[in-house]
Amino acid sequence: MTTVDHDQPHDTEKNTQRRFVMPEGIFAWLLVAPALIFICIIVAWPLVETFRLSFTDARIAGENYVGFENYADLAGDRKFHATIWRTFYWMFLSVGLKLVLGLIGATLLNAAVPGKALFRVLVMPPWVIPIAIGCIGWLWLYNGYFGLLSGMAQRLGITDGPIEFLAYKTSAFYSAIVTDVWVGTPMVTLFLLAAMQGVSRDLYEAAWVDGASRWYRFRRITIPQIMPVIVSMALLSAIWTFNSFEIIWILTEGGPRGATTTLIVDTYKTAIGNYKFGEGAARAVVIVILLALFSLIYMFFLNKVNKHYGSK
Amino acid sequence: MATLDLKSISKSFGQANVLHDINLAIKDKEFVVFVGPSGCGKSTLLRIIAGLEEATDGQIIIDGADVSMAHPVDRGISMVFQSYALYPHLSVYENIAFPLRVQKMPEPELDDRVQRAGEILQLTDKLSLKPGQLSGGQRQRVAIGRSIVRNPKVFLFDEPLSNLDAALRGDMRVELSQLHKSLDATMVYVTHDQIEAMTMADRIVVLNGGRVEQFGSPMELYHHPQTKFVAGFIGQPNMNFIPATVTSTSAAGLSLETRDGFSITVPVETAGVSAGDAVELGIRPEDLTVSDADGMTQNVNVVERLGGVSIVYGTTSDAETRLCASLDGNVDIREGSQISLGISPRDCHVFRSDGQALRRTDAPMVAS
C-alpha cells in the first residue's frame, strides 16, 4: 500500500507538467532565436551582401552586374599581388615578434621577483589605452622635426639631420611593424603568463630533483606545456594582425607610395576612399578566402600539436 | 650502502614552526614510513631531505656526508611525487629517461637502464605510450621508474598511493614492498594512511604537531605505544580510551576503577603514579570479547557487520565515554541492547594524564 501512496503524487506531477510543455523543437528554436537573429544581422547579411556586391561595379551612382570582372582584374593586377605578399610578410614578421617578445616577457613576469604584481600591471598600458591615442604618440615619436627618436639620433651623432621615419618606404613599413608589435605584445604576454602559471609546480620540482637546469626546464617543460596556448595565440594574433587597420591608417594611411598598404588598407581605400564598392567587395572576399585557407591549414597543425603535447 | 641521519632538524615558515628538533637515524636498506595526520610536518620533512625545502636548523647526513646545503642530485636522492609529476608531452620511455637525459648519458647505457626499469615495473609494452593513455597504477609505476634509473642512494616517496582507488592501493603496496626487497635500497615513505605504514614499513616514524611521537617497528608501535597519540593513531578501529582513577599500586601492576565502576589490575610499571591519580585505560576493540558477566558494560548503538567481524559501537554504561568492540562476525547483538565485554588485563594500556604510556610488563611482544 505504501508504494502506491508514494507513486500517486509523482504521477499527477507528471501529468500537470505535460499539459504546459510545448513541442521540444519549437522551444529549442525559441531559445536560439535571439542569438540567431543577431548573427544574421551583423554577420551573415553583410557577408552575403559583400559577396553579391563583388560581382557588380557598384558605385554611389548605382550598380550593374559584371560577373567575374572584378576578380579577373585582381588576378591580373601586379600591384594587388604585391599587396598580398606584403600583407603576409607584415603578418608573419609582426606575429613572430609578438610571440618572441611575449614569451620573454611572460617568463620574466613569471619569475619569483619582488614586486612582480607591479611589473604585471606595467605591461598592460599599450593594450589598455585606445589604439588611436597610442598611435598618435608613436606618430610624434617618429616625427623628424620634433620626434624623440630623430632628436636622440641627432644628439648622439648617429645622423646629421632629421630623419622622417614614416617618409621612406622601408623605414615606414618597419616603423609600423614596431607600433603594431607594441600594441599586440601585452595581450600575448598575459596569455602566455597565464598558461605558464597553469603548469604544475610538481613538474618543475621533479625536474629540479633530477638535476635539470633552468634553461633545460624551460625548454623541456615550460615550452611543451604551454605549446597549445602558444599555437592558439599565434592564430588569433595572426588574424588580428592581418586585419590590423587603425595602426597603419593613423601612421601612414598606407603610404608612402603603398609601402604600408596591406589588404585591409587597400580594401578600405578602394571601397570607402574611391567609392568603388564593387571592387572593394571583391578585395574583401579575397581576404575572407585567404584567412579561411590560412585558418584551415592552421587548424590542421593545431590538432597535430595538441595530439603531440598530450593535451586531452 | 646508504644511511640517512637527521640531526636536530627544525623548520619554520615565518612565525609558524612546523618541525621541532627532529632526530632520526635511518639504517641502510631500511624502509621507513613517516606517518601522521595532515599538517603534522611529514611532507615538509621529506621535502627537506629531498632538498626542495631548506631546514631552518639542523643537518642532513647521507652516508656520513653532510648534504644539508647540497643540490638534490648531489645528495643522491630521488623522489616520487603524489601527483606522479609525469611530463604529459613525453612518452613513458622519455619520462623514465628524463633524469638520464639531464645527465647527458650516452644513448646505449641510457636505453639499457630504461629497458631494465621497464622490465622491473612491467612497463615494457607501454614505453611508447603517453602518460595520458595509462591507468593510475601504471602512471605511478612510470614515476617510480623515473626514480629507479638514477640508482639513487635513498628513495623518497610522498604519499604515492593516495590518488589510487582502494583495490589498486592494496596491489601497489605489495608491489612497493617487493620493489624494496629487489632494489635493496633505503626508502623513506610519507603517508597519512596507517595501514600503508603498518604493512610496508621496517620502522615507522609517527609525527604529531612537528614532533616525533615515536620511532619503532610496526609491532612495537602496536603493542608498546609510548603515547596516547600513537596508541590512537595505530590500529583500526581506534583504541578505546576510558577515564579511570588509580585505586592502588602493587607488584602486580596498577589497580584502577573506571567512572562506571569497572575495576581491573593492569600489569604495567607503576613509577610516577599513585593512588588517586586520574589516568586513562586503553583497550583495543579487537581485544574485547563477549563475556557473560564481570565484564565492562556497553550500551550498543550501532552494529557494523563486516562478515568476519562485527564492529559494535556504543558507550560505557554511564553513557559518558565512547566504546567500540570488534567481535565475532556471527555474534547476536541488537542495537539498543546492553552487553558485557570481557577484558584481559594483559591487553590493557594505561596512559598518564600527560598522554605518556606506562610501560607494559606482560605484553605479547616486549619492546626492543
Side-chain angles (χ1 to χ4, degrees):
Chain A
M1 270 319 278
T2 34
T3 26
V4 176
D5 281 340
H6 196 260
D7 270 352
Q8 208 81 44
H10 193 69
D11 262 346
T12 347
E13 197 177 89
K14 235 183 189 171
N15 287 335
T16 13
Q17 258 183 15
R18 201 170 289 144
R19 231 173 282 147
F20 292 112
V21 163
M22 64 172 77
E24 227 173 75
I26 292 180
F27 187 60
W29 279 110
L30 267 178
L31 287 177
V32 177
L36 204 63
I37 293 167
F38 198 62
I39 287 173
C40 283
I41 293 172
I42 67 163
V43 179
W45 183 73
L47 195 68
V48 171
E49 181 64 7
T50 303
F51 195 67
R52 189 189 65 77
L53 274 177
S54 73
F55 293 101
T56 68
D57 64 352
R59 286 160 174 273
I60 291 189
E63 58 179 70
N64 301 301
Y65 178 74
V66 293
F68 282 90
E69 199 185 294
N70 290 331
Y71 291 103
D73 285 349
L74 289 180
D77 184 352
R78 281 242 172 123
K79 252 174 92 181
F80 185 69
H81 299 166
T83 303
I84 292 180
W85 290 124
R86 189 183 304 117
T87 307
F88 275 102
Y89 181 56
W90 158 271
M91 179 181 85
F92 281 116
L93 185 60
S94 178
V95 171
L97 285 171
K98 283 174 199 172
L99 286 177
V100 170
L101 291 175
L103 198 56
I104 294 171
T107 309
L108 293 177
L109 290 177
N110 196 31
V113 289
K116 62 182 170 183
L118 179 71
F119 286 116
R120 282 177 192 173
V121 173
L122 287 179
V123 171
M124 298 211 279
W127 182 31
V128 175
I129 61 174
I131 291 180
I133 292 173
C135 285
I136 287 167
W138 279 98
L139 210 52
W140 290 349
L141 282 177
Y142 289 142
N143 188 288
Y145 293 93
F146 55 84
L148 183 72
L149 296 176
S150 173
M152 285 208 328
Q154 290 176 70
R155 292 270 169 88
L156 294 172
I158 298 169
T159 56
D160 291 337
I163 334 161
E164 274 288 2
F165 284 91
L166 300 175
Y168 307 97
K169 285 177 96 170
T170 310
S171 65
F173 182 81
Y174 290 105
S175 299
I177 288 266
V178 168
T179 304
D180 190 60
V181 169
W182 179 81
V183 171
T185 303
M187 196 198 61
V188 176
T189 308
L190 291 176
F191 270 76
L192 295 184
L193 176 64
M196 282 181 190
Q197 287 176 334
V199 180
S200 161
R201 227 177 102 97
D202 280 359
L203 294 185
Y204 292 112
E205 290 192 338
W208 196 61
V209 169
D210 287 341
S213 66
R214 196 176 284 271
W215 169 240
Y216 196 89
R217 295 198 297 268
F218 181 74
R219 206 159 46 86
R220 293 209 61 189
I221 299 174
T222 310
I223 295 288
Q225 285 285 298
I226 67 169
M227 191 48 99
V229 177
I230 295 180
V231 172
S232 317
M233 270 322 290
L235 177 62
L236 283 180
S237 186
I239 291 171
W240 288 330
T241 308
F242 195 98
N243 283 335
S244 157
F245 174 75
E246 327 70 319
I247 295 168
I248 296 175
W249 194 252
I250 293 167
L251 289 179
T252 63
E253 295 189 4
R257 275 164 293 143
T260 54
T261 297
T262 58
L263 280 173
I264 195 80
V265 175
D266 186 37
T267 305
Y268 177 83
K269 280 202 279 195
T270 310
I272 313 295
N274 298 330
Y275 306 110
K276 296 175 182 170
F277 304 128
E279 289 174 39
R283 283 168 167 77
V285 170
V286 170
I287 292 179
V288 169
I289 292 168
L290 285 176
L291 275 182
L293 277 176
F294 175 77
S295 304
L296 268 180
I297 297 168
Y298 198 90
M299 291 297 181
F300 175 74
F301 284 109
L302 183 70
N303 262 335
K304 281 203 150 175
V305 166
N306 281 343
K307 236 176 230 160
H308 181 257
Y309 290 107
S311 82
K312 285 181 143 193
Chain B
M1 270 299 288
T3 57
L4 171 63
D5 292 288
L6 303 182
K7 294 201 169 154
S8 43
I9 296 284
S10 58
K11 172 75 181 173
S12 38
F13 293 107
Q15 293 290 315
N17 295 324
V18 290
L19 292 173
H20 311 264
D21 193 30
I22 305 279
N23 288 286
L24 293 173
I26 293 167
K27 295 179 209 150
D28 181 36
K29 293 174 188 168
E30 202 171 17
F31 195 129
V32 170
V33 174
F34 294 174
V35 71
S38 325
C40 70
K42 55 192 189 298
S43 280
T44 308
L45 186 56
L46 193 78
R47 290 169 63 84
I48 287 173
I49 298 172
L52 286 167
E53 215 73 73
E54 211 175 290
T56 313
D57 208 0
Q59 285 176 301
I60 299 146
I61 294 163
I62 294 177
D63 260 353
D66 186 345
V67 295
S68 313
M69 292 295 155
H71 188 278
V73 171
D74 304 323
R75 295 179 183 210
I77 57 96
S78 76
M79 183 153 166
V80 175
F81 290 79
Q82 180 177 359
S83 65
Y84 319 137
L86 299 181
Y87 309 113
H89 56 285
L90 298 179
S91 65
V92 168
Y93 185 99
E94 284 303 322
N95 263 290
I96 296 176
F98 192 91
L100 307 180
R101 295 246 185 257
V102 172
Q103 293 171 21
K104 301 207 171 72
M105 178 177 283
E107 195 63 37
E109 196 189 341
L110 179 143
D111 185 61
D112 190 48
R113 286 216 203 173
V114 174
Q115 295 294 352
R116 202 146 24 101
E119 276 165 35
I120 293 172
L121 298 162
Q122 297 152 35
L123 288 167
T124 316
D125 55 335
K126 305 278 191 293
L127 290 176
S128 58
L129 299 180
K130 292 275 170 64
Q133 295 166 287
L134 302 180
S135 68
Q138 289 165 340
R139 281 183 218 182
Q140 188 57 66
R141 283 208 284 258
V142 177
I144 295 168
R146 193 171 59 193
S147 70
I148 288 180
V149 287
R150 260 179 45 203
N151 290 334
K153 292 178 184 165
V154 181
F155 285 90
L156 307 176
F157 295 91
D158 188 6
E159 308 214 17
L161 305 187
S162 55
N163 288 355
L164 303 179
D165 62 59
L168 202 51
R169 219 178 298 160
D171 294 344
M172 284 302 288
R173 277 207 306 265
V174 177
E175 277 187 40
L176 276 173
S177 294
Q178 283 168 347
L179 189 72
H180 174 237
K181 284 196 189 82
S182 64
L183 291 177
D184 249 352
T186 309
M187 292 187 173
V188 180
Y189 186 106
V190 163
T191 182
H192 60 265
D193 180 352
Q194 52 121 345
I195 294 176
E196 277 176 31
M198 292 296 281
T199 51
M200 294 195 288
D202 293 325
R203 284 198 292 168
I204 298 174
V205 179
V206 181
L207 286 160
N208 181 31
R211 288 191 172 80
V212 176
E213 288 275 337
Q214 193 169 353
F215 183 23
S217 73
M219 283 303 112
E220 225 175 295
L221 262 54
Y222 182 81
H223 290 300
H224 294 278
Q226 284 169 3
T227 63
K228 186 186 164 191
F229 179 83
V230 175
F233 197 79
I234 302 290
Q236 193 70 37
N238 295 347
M239 186 185 277
N240 297 300
F241 297 104
I242 302 150
T245 312
V246 179
T247 50
S248 69
T249 61
S250 67
L254 199 67
S255 298
L256 38 85
E257 190 182 315
T258 64
R259 281 194 214 146
D260 61 344
F262 175 78
S263 25
I264 190 168
T265 301
V266 184
V268 289
E269 289 177 1
T270 55
V273 281
S274 49
D277 283 357
V279 292
E280 275 181 290
L281 174 67
I283 178 83
R284 294 195 184 278
E286 56 269 34
D287 291 332
L288 293 167
T289 53
V290 185
S291 82
D292 296 334
D294 283 351
M296 178 177 273
T297 312
Q298 183 192 24
N299 296 330
V300 178
N301 292 337
V302 174
V303 181
E304 277 182 358
R305 295 196 182 276
L306 304 181
V309 292
S310 294
I311 316 272
V312 182
Y313 297 93
T315 60
T316 51
S317 60
D318 59 357
E320 289 285 325
T321 311
R322 280 195 297 175
L323 188 59
C324 169
S326 177
L327 305 173
D328 185 78
N330 297 318
V331 75
D332 181 28
I333 294 173
R334 291 285 162 85
E335 293 173 2
S337 67
Q338 221 174 36
I339 58 168
S340 173
L341 295 170
I343 300 176
S344 158
R346 65 194 294 264
D347 291 332
C348 291
H349 302 248
V350 179
F351 302 94
R352 294 195 315 228
S353 52
D354 63 356
Q356 293 295 311
L358 296 179
R359 199 178 151 76
R360 302 167 76 199
T361 51
D362 192 21
M365 184 196 129
V366 176
S368 50

